[in-house]
Amino acid sequence: MNRFAALLDRLQRDPSRLGKLRLMRDYFRDVPDPDRGFGLAALTGALSFRHAKPGLIKALIGERVDPVLFALSYDYVGDLSETAALLWPANPGGAAEHPPTLTEVVHALAETGKVELPRVLAEFLDGLDETGRWALLKLITGAMRIGASARLAKQAVAELGGKGVNEIEDLWHALKPPYLELFAWLEGRKPRPLIDDPAPFFAAMLAHALEEDDLARLSPADFRAEWKWDGIRVQAAVGEGRNGAKIVRLFSRTGEDVSAAFPDLVEMLAALPYRAFSLDGELLIRRDGLVQSFGVLQQRLNRKRVSATLLGDYPAHLRAYDLLACDGADLRALPYLERRRRLEAFVGGAGASRLDLSPQIDFKSWDWLAAARRDPATAGAGVDAAAIEGVMLKRADSIYVPGRPKGLWYKWKRDPFSIDAVLMYAQRGHGKRSSFYSDFTFGVWQAGEAGDELVPVGKAYFGFTDAELKQLDRYVRDNTMNRFGPVREIEHGKDAGLVLEIAFDGLNLSSRHKSGVAMRFPRINRIRWDKPAREADRLETLEIFLKK
Amino acid sequence: MQAADLLALKPAGLYCAAGDFYIDPVRSVERALITHAHSDHARPGHGKVLATADTLAIMAIRYGDGFAGSTQPIDYRESLRIDAVDVSFHPAGHVLGSAQIRVADAKKIAVVSGDYKRESDPTCAPFEPLACDCFVSEATFGLPVFRHSNAKAEIEKLLGSLRLFPERTHLVGAYTLGKAQRLIALLRAAGYERPIYMHGALERVTDYYARRGVVLGELRKVAGRADLAGEIVLCPPAALGDLWSRKFAEPLPVFASGWMRVRARARQGGVELPLVISDHADWDGLCATIAETGCSKLLVTHGAADALVHYFKTRGLDAEPLHIKGYGEDEAPEETSA
């Protein structure tokens, strides 16, 4: 456990990617099986425990520390694991002589029953130093927040055996912690693990955001354009099990199996006249031939129970844009145009109303495409324009590369909306921003009983630079009117207050918000130190965006 | 705050009506008593200033000789009558010259702690506990997550890193007044005998410490930067992120501060080696000190006041926060200490 804790501690301090890679490579090289495999699982988010959850940490610390002092500390530190590790009463005898191994900890967390777990966890914590406690609690909370992505951990593992990271990605979904066969292969002791999954997930190819000056060096002839759909990216995998039964899976972009939430799509996929395939596409809600906005799709997401009414009111639809495999052949090494040709034939022969093709946009110049992006409805998208959030550019010759390769695919989102709002409340942030006031609630003017008043319309916690964060933090501290627990009310009114230019991607009706609207992806575009609060926007201005 | 009657909060800061003076005012006033020379407590431009000789000397170094209309030095434990109250200064253990200020009339005793710590420090006189009715405590590290009572072990981390990375210049961010000199003294006490290099901004205060008899060993001003691999270079915290720092051989940013107890704070500053060393009392130090004064009234100034107020209310004290705008609060400004 101590070796793993030291790795996490050094990873979160090392600012450089190369440094992090080296730390992880050394760890995977030096630490024996199965500890290193569980370390890899922790770094890639592959560990999850049934009973060991953040709630358990809060309960344990609640028995040892005054709840008010815990709440104030958590608010300041901004990370549950670290707060609990710092507050845990020091063992008078010092840390244990033989602290538990990572493997022992993982097994205990996975296998101990609900009743016994608090005692077992407390014993572990008593036997560890602060860094050890922090690392152990990170295993439970899952979110490492140490600045090393799952992809970087896989890269480090790949380098151990002189392989490319995509070779690891291809295998990944067939592997389980502690990855003994993976390490055996990387160290040349055994052959490559066999993937025996009839409906595997292929790591998704992602696009880079297009910067305006990219266009100058890109040639329209090299690219094909498609609409960027405002739904959720999914991968549909169908294959034949050993007994000949059809296996159908619907994966999220990250490879999570979401089939259970979409029985209507699973049924459609199972009935298609193909033995085995893997489709990449967008999950949308389509009613009476009309694709609905993301706001409507959201009504169907995150429901615990998928009722018949829900299925009837929110019929799921798959709009396909890539074919990754078909009848046993991996198509990912083919150029986009060739995959597209096969995809068109596939969808054409499918004969399913819940499956269609994401159309290509016929464009001649970037200017033409820019106009289409501004107004999809008149550029061929017709009635589906409500579900479009920009355009995608894909190189005609691009093979399908897992991850986010440079120069092949671009997403060109429509310009964000923007309003000027007044800062009303602030709260401390978490993770990277912890202990700074970095969560900002802002409002716009509306007519009230006693004249105009500010009504909160959203919350933003990014968009600003580090320097601006410091200025905002200082402003919050100097202009606090009231404190409600961790929340500070900031002076706001016609003659006092800070105006923030807020950019956002869309607006939905919301019954949960006092203003009746909810923004999508709001962020602080600019701090308007120059603008008086009385000149900030009104709710009516915001409501105009609802129709867009 | 009807505060123990001896003290009241005014826009310029903590005010004693019976003696007509302010303690550590944040704006210019006619008569100021100053606990120590950090800039959020000691501002230039007052009419008359009463402080320890060391505090006055350091203020003069930083602001120039004319920083106040007139100054009057006072020794530790010397009692002085100001109008209707007796005033005395007592060691606070924070930095050289730092003091708690005791204010007493016939009925009541109030003590203003200024900034203080309980851990031993070779560069200044140790904190002296005082009994009082009303205690005004700082709370820079007023949360139970802050524990930093083992500076020696932290110094060992720095020495260990020097052995592990002899090719890297260890660039140690430390507050100009107090922390930098204490680090040097701690390094010497740990047996580190090589010359220690200093950013120009640290020179004058450090020279003053040396003149006052603090043992600091051989100190050198940074001249060429490329040839300092494996050496310790002290600089103000802000210089860690400056262009200045990038010209060293593979600089390894180190920061010595109580804030370093929280990982995110170290990460926000790009610190690779955080050293949890502070010139302020940690949570345990604050709680023990407040209890030791035997006070019935507790006023908590800059810092995380809420937790201390809560803690002592549950222990039967009359406790409340004092929101003095302009003090560091929990984000100590660059020039002060932590």
Side-chain angles (χ1 to χ4, degrees), chain A residues 18-39:
Chain A
L18 284 177
K20 287 182 208 279
L21 270 175
R22 193 181 57 224
L23 287 168
M24 287 193 278
R25 226 169 36 227
D26 291 351
Y27 175 83
F28 294 129
R29 192 190 57 226
D30 300 342
V31 173
D33 287 323
D35 259 30
R36 60 177 171 179
F38 288 115

mmCIF file of all heavy atoms in Angstrom, chain A residues 18-39:
data_model
loop_
_atom_site.group_PDB
_atom_site.id
_atom_site.type_symbol
_atom_site.label_atom_id
_atom_site.label_comp_id
_atom_site.label_asym_id
_atom_site.label_seq_id
_atom_site.Cartn_x
_atom_site.Cartn_y
_atom_site.Cartn_z
ATOM 1 N N LEU A 18 5.691 13.661 -19.054
ATOM 2 C CA LEU A 18 6.799 12.704 -19.132
ATOM 3 C C LEU A 18 7.191 12.199 -17.753
ATOM 4 O O LEU A 18 7.486 11.023 -17.571
ATOM 5 C CB LEU A 18 8.014 13.352 -19.815
ATOM 6 C CG LEU A 18 7.889 13.491 -21.331
ATOM 7 C CD1 LEU A 18 9.100 14.206 -21.902
ATOM 8 C CD2 LEU A 18 7.716 12.123 -21.983
ATOM 9 N N GLY A 19 7.176 13.125 -16.788
ATOM 10 C CA GLY A 19 7.505 12.743 -15.410
ATOM 11 C C GLY A 19 6.502 11.737 -14.874
ATOM 12 O O GLY A 19 6.874 10.739 -14.251
ATOM 13 N N LYS A 20 5.226 11.983 -15.143
ATOM 14 C CA LYS A 20 4.175 11.071 -14.678
ATOM 15 C C LYS A 20 4.344 9.696 -15.333
ATOM 16 O O LYS A 20 4.198 8.660 -14.679
ATOM 17 C CB LYS A 20 2.797 11.631 -15.017
ATOM 18 C CG LYS A 20 2.371 12.820 -14.171
ATOM 19 C CD LYS A 20 0.961 13.237 -14.572
ATOM 20 C CE LYS A 20 0.681 14.699 -14.353
ATOM 21 N NZ LYS A 20 0.346 15.050 -12.971
ATOM 22 N N LEU A 21 4.639 9.715 -16.639
ATOM 23 C CA LEU A 21 4.832 8.449 -17.344
ATOM 24 C C LEU A 21 5.979 7.662 -16.721
ATOM 25 O O LEU A 21 5.880 6.454 -16.525
ATOM 26 C CB LEU A 21 5.154 8.723 -18.820
ATOM 27 C CG LEU A 21 3.963 8.803 -19.787
ATOM 28 C CD1 LEU A 21 4.440 9.190 -21.170
ATOM 29 C CD2 LEU A 21 3.224 7.462 -19.834
ATOM 30 N N ARG A 22 7.055 8.373 -16.410
ATOM 31 C CA ARG A 22 8.221 7.696 -15.846
ATOM 32 C C ARG A 22 7.883 7.096 -14.478
ATOM 33 O O ARG A 22 8.229 5.953 -14.183
ATOM 34 C CB ARG A 22 9.384 8.681 -15.722
ATOM 35 C CG ARG A 22 10.723 7.993 -15.449
ATOM 36 C CD ARG A 22 11.834 9.001 -15.313
ATOM 37 N NE ARG A 22 11.520 9.953 -14.259
ATOM 38 C CZ ARG A 22 11.700 11.277 -14.367
ATOM 39 N NH1 ARG A 22 12.194 11.794 -15.466
ATOM 40 N NH2 ARG A 22 11.396 12.076 -13.365
ATOM 41 N N LEU A 23 7.161 7.863 -13.671
ATOM 42 C CA LEU A 23 6.783 7.359 -12.347
ATOM 43 C C LEU A 23 5.946 6.093 -12.457
ATOM 44 O O LEU A 23 6.157 5.123 -11.734
ATOM 45 C CB LEU A 23 5.983 8.432 -11.589
ATOM 46 C CG LEU A 23 6.759 9.635 -11.064
ATOM 47 C CD1 LEU A 23 5.803 10.727 -10.616
ATOM 48 C CD2 LEU A 23 7.655 9.208 -9.910
ATOM 49 N N MET A 24 4.997 6.106 -13.392
ATOM 50 C CA MET A 24 4.129 4.938 -13.524
ATOM 51 C C MET A 24 4.873 3.750 -14.119
ATOM 52 O O MET A 24 4.698 2.616 -13.685
ATOM 53 C CB MET A 24 2.902 5.300 -14.379
ATOM 54 C CG MET A 24 1.912 6.179 -13.627
ATOM 55 S SD MET A 24 0.311 6.315 -14.443
ATOM 56 C CE MET A 24 0.679 7.575 -15.634
ATOM 57 N N ARG A 25 5.734 4.033 -15.103
ATOM 58 C CA ARG A 25 6.527 2.956 -15.706
ATOM 59 C C ARG A 25 7.380 2.266 -14.640
ATOM 60 O O ARG A 25 7.431 1.052 -14.559
ATOM 61 C CB ARG A 25 7.407 3.544 -16.800
ATOM 62 C CG ARG A 25 7.401 2.743 -18.071
ATOM 63 C CD ARG A 25 8.052 3.487 -19.207
ATOM 64 N NE ARG A 25 9.182 4.301 -18.805
ATOM 65 C CZ ARG A 25 9.359 5.565 -19.183
ATOM 66 N NH1 ARG A 25 8.466 6.149 -19.954
ATOM 67 N NH2 ARG A 25 10.406 6.246 -18.801
ATOM 68 N N ASP A 26 8.031 3.084 -13.824
ATOM 69 C CA ASP A 26 8.866 2.518 -12.753
ATOM 70 C C ASP A 26 8.025 1.656 -11.812
ATOM 71 O O ASP A 26 8.449 0.586 -11.391
ATOM 72 C CB ASP A 26 9.549 3.642 -11.940
ATOM 73 C CG ASP A 26 10.597 4.358 -12.770
ATOM 74 O OD1 ASP A 26 10.900 3.876 -13.883
ATOM 75 O OD2 ASP A 26 11.109 5.398 -12.304
ATOM 76 N N TYR A 27 6.856 2.159 -11.506
ATOM 77 C CA TYR A 27 5.980 1.411 -10.595
ATOM 78 C C TYR A 27 5.624 0.051 -11.199
ATOM 79 O O TYR A 27 5.762 -0.979 -10.555
ATOM 80 C CB TYR A 27 4.716 2.234 -10.310
ATOM 81 C CG TYR A 27 3.687 1.503 -9.468
ATOM 82 C CD1 TYR A 27 3.789 1.458 -8.085
ATOM 83 C CD2 TYR A 27 2.603 0.859 -10.068
ATOM 84 C CE1 TYR A 27 2.848 0.789 -7.312
ATOM 85 C CE2 TYR A 27 1.658 0.181 -9.305
ATOM 86 C CZ TYR A 27 1.784 0.140 -7.929
ATOM 87 O OH TYR A 27 0.853 -0.526 -7.165
ATOM 88 N N PHE A 28 5.192 0.063 -12.458
ATOM 89 C CA PHE A 28 4.774 -1.201 -13.076
ATOM 90 C C PHE A 28 5.959 -2.159 -13.261
ATOM 91 O O PHE A 28 5.794 -3.365 -13.272
ATOM 92 C CB PHE A 28 4.090 -0.947 -14.430
ATOM 93 C CG PHE A 28 2.787 -0.216 -14.307
ATOM 94 C CD1 PHE A 28 2.526 0.913 -15.075
ATOM 95 C CD2 PHE A 28 1.815 -0.643 -13.410
ATOM 96 C CE1 PHE A 28 1.327 1.600 -14.946
ATOM 97 C CE2 PHE A 28 0.615 0.038 -13.273
ATOM 98 C CZ PHE A 28 0.370 1.164 -14.042
ATOM 99 N N ARG A 29 7.148 -1.586 -13.398
ATOM 100 C CA ARG A 29 8.325 -2.430 -13.571
ATOM 101 C C ARG A 29 8.758 -3.044 -12.238
ATOM 102 O O ARG A 29 9.108 -4.216 -12.165
ATOM 103 C CB ARG A 29 9.475 -1.597 -14.155
ATOM 104 C CG ARG A 29 10.658 -2.447 -14.652
ATOM 105 C CD ARG A 29 11.841 -1.556 -14.969
ATOM 106 N NE ARG A 29 12.214 -0.768 -13.797
ATOM 107 C CZ ARG A 29 12.480 0.542 -13.829
ATOM 108 N NH1 ARG A 29 12.434 1.206 -14.957
ATOM 109 N NH2 ARG A 29 12.798 1.181 -12.718
ATOM 110 N N ASP A 30 8.703 -2.243 -11.169
ATOM 111 C CA ASP A 30 9.305 -2.675 -9.912
ATOM 112 C C ASP A 30 8.371 -3.450 -8.982
ATOM 113 O O ASP A 30 8.818 -4.226 -8.152
ATOM 114 C CB ASP A 30 9.832 -1.453 -9.133
ATOM 115 C CG ASP A 30 10.886 -0.706 -9.936
ATOM 116 O OD1 ASP A 30 11.434 -1.318 -10.880
ATOM 117 O OD2 ASP A 30 11.146 0.468 -9.627
ATOM 118 N N VAL A 31 7.082 -3.178 -9.094
ATOM 119 C CA VAL A 31 6.149 -3.779 -8.142
ATOM 120 C C VAL A 31 5.694 -5.132 -8.684
ATOM 121 O O VAL A 31 5.376 -5.253 -9.866
ATOM 122 C CB VAL A 31 4.947 -2.828 -7.919
ATOM 123 C CG1 VAL A 31 3.880 -3.492 -7.064
ATOM 124 C CG2 VAL A 31 5.429 -1.536 -7.275
ATOM 125 N N PRO A 32 5.689 -6.170 -7.843
ATOM 126 C CA PRO A 32 5.307 -7.502 -8.332
ATOM 127 C C PRO A 32 3.804 -7.634 -8.555
ATOM 128 O O PRO A 32 3.013 -6.836 -8.043
ATOM 129 C CB PRO A 32 5.777 -8.426 -7.198
ATOM 130 C CG PRO A 32 5.779 -7.563 -5.974
ATOM 131 C CD PRO A 32 6.105 -6.175 -6.437
ATOM 132 N N ASP A 33 3.440 -8.683 -9.306
ATOM 133 C CA ASP A 33 2.031 -9.091 -9.395
ATOM 134 C C ASP A 33 1.609 -9.603 -8.023
ATOM 135 O O ASP A 33 2.430 -10.132 -7.293
ATOM 136 C CB ASP A 33 1.879 -10.232 -10.409
ATOM 137 C CG ASP A 33 2.036 -9.749 -11.849
ATOM 138 O OD1 ASP A 33 1.585 -8.640 -12.140
ATOM 139 O OD2 ASP A 33 2.603 -10.508 -12.654
ATOM 140 N N PRO A 34 0.367 -9.509 -7.627
ATOM 141 C CA PRO A 34 -0.713 -8.829 -8.346
ATOM 142 C C PRO A 34 -0.871 -7.368 -7.936
ATOM 143 O O PRO A 34 -1.757 -6.709 -8.450
ATOM 144 C CB PRO A 34 -1.939 -9.647 -7.931
ATOM 145 C CG PRO A 34 -1.616 -10.109 -6.528
ATOM 146 C CD PRO A 34 -0.128 -10.275 -6.466
ATOM 147 N N ASP A 35 0.013 -6.865 -7.042
ATOM 148 C CA ASP A 35 -0.131 -5.486 -6.564
ATOM 149 C C ASP A 35 -0.186 -4.471 -7.710
ATOM 150 O O ASP A 35 -1.032 -3.579 -7.742
ATOM 151 C CB ASP A 35 1.033 -5.121 -5.631
ATOM 152 C CG ASP A 35 0.615 -5.194 -4.162
ATOM 153 O OD1 ASP A 35 -0.273 -6.014 -3.857
ATOM 154 O OD2 ASP A 35 1.167 -4.427 -3.345
ATOM 155 N N ARG A 36 0.763 -4.615 -8.680
ATOM 156 C CA ARG A 36 0.822 -3.606 -9.742
ATOM 157 C C ARG A 36 -0.448 -3.620 -10.593
ATOM 158 O O ARG A 36 -0.878 -2.594 -11.100
ATOM 159 C CB ARG A 36 2.047 -3.826 -10.618
ATOM 160 C CG ARG A 36 2.079 -5.196 -11.303
ATOM 161 C CD ARG A 36 3.286 -5.305 -12.194
ATOM 162 N NE ARG A 36 3.452 -6.670 -12.693
ATOM 163 C CZ ARG A 36 4.425 -7.031 -13.505
ATOM 164 N NH1 ARG A 36 5.319 -6.152 -13.908
ATOM 165 N NH2 ARG A 36 4.512 -8.275 -13.913
ATOM 166 N N GLY A 37 -1.036 -4.813 -10.731
ATOM 167 C CA GLY A 37 -2.273 -4.910 -11.510
ATOM 168 C C GLY A 37 -3.405 -4.157 -10.833
ATOM 169 O O GLY A 37 -4.201 -3.477 -11.482
ATOM 170 N N PHE A 38 -3.473 -4.270 -9.518
ATOM 171 C CA PHE A 38 -4.505 -3.512 -8.809
ATOM 172 C C PHE A 38 -4.195 -2.015 -8.842
ATOM 173 O O PHE A 38 -5.094 -1.182 -8.872
ATOM 174 C CB PHE A 38 -4.665 -4.027 -7.377
ATOM 175 C CG PHE A 38 -5.344 -5.373 -7.311
ATOM 176 C CD1 PHE A 38 -4.681 -6.498 -6.854
ATOM 177 C CD2 PHE A 38 -6.651 -5.503 -7.769
ATOM 178 C CE1 PHE A 38 -5.305 -7.743 -6.825
ATOM 179 C CE2 PHE A 38 -7.287 -6.750 -7.742
ATOM 180 C CZ PHE A 38 -6.612 -7.875 -7.273
ATOM 181 N N GLY A 39 -2.899 -1.700 -8.863
ATOM 182 C CA GLY A 39 -2.511 -0.298 -9.027
ATOM 183 C C GLY A 39 -2.996 0.231 -10.373
ATOM 184 O O GLY A 39 -3.567 1.328 -10.462
#
